[in-house]
């Protein structure tokens, strides 16, 4: 279906400036990775504390 639409367009389409340039996607992806990494590190620390016989911080 996309091929049919693309062949009927007479020329290249000009994109507007308000489109996501990719930097926002990069920033949100990095924030998600950092957040996930910090949660995993906290879970490992809790597991080590519990294995050592200390209180579980959760």
């Amino acid at each position: 279906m996309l091929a049919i639409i693309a062949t009927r367009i007479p020329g290249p389409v000009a994109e507007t400036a308000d489109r996501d340039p990719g930097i926002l996607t990069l920033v949100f992806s990095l924030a998600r990775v950092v957040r996930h990494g910090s949660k995993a590190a906290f879970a490992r620390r809790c597991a080590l504390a519990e294995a050592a016989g200390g209180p579980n911080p959760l």
Side-chain angles (χ1 to χ4, degrees), residues 4-13:
I4 294 171
I5 294 171
T7 57
R8 295 183 183 265
I9 296 175
V13 177

Side-chain angles (χ1 to χ4, degrees), residues 3-58:
I4 294 171
I5 294 171
T7 57
R8 295 183 183 265
I9 296 175
V13 177
E15 293 190 15
T16 59
D18 64 345
R19 300 283 310 256
D20 177 21
I23 191 73
L24 294 176
T25 305
L26 177 64
V27 168
F28 285 118
S29 298
L30 289 174
R32 187 181 324 121
V33 167
V34 168
R35 186 175 61 226
H36 178 67
S38 64
K39 286 182 182 179
F42 182 70
R44 284 192 304 270
R45 184 175 178 196
C46 291
L48 286 173
E50 191 174 11
N56 188 356
L58 295 176

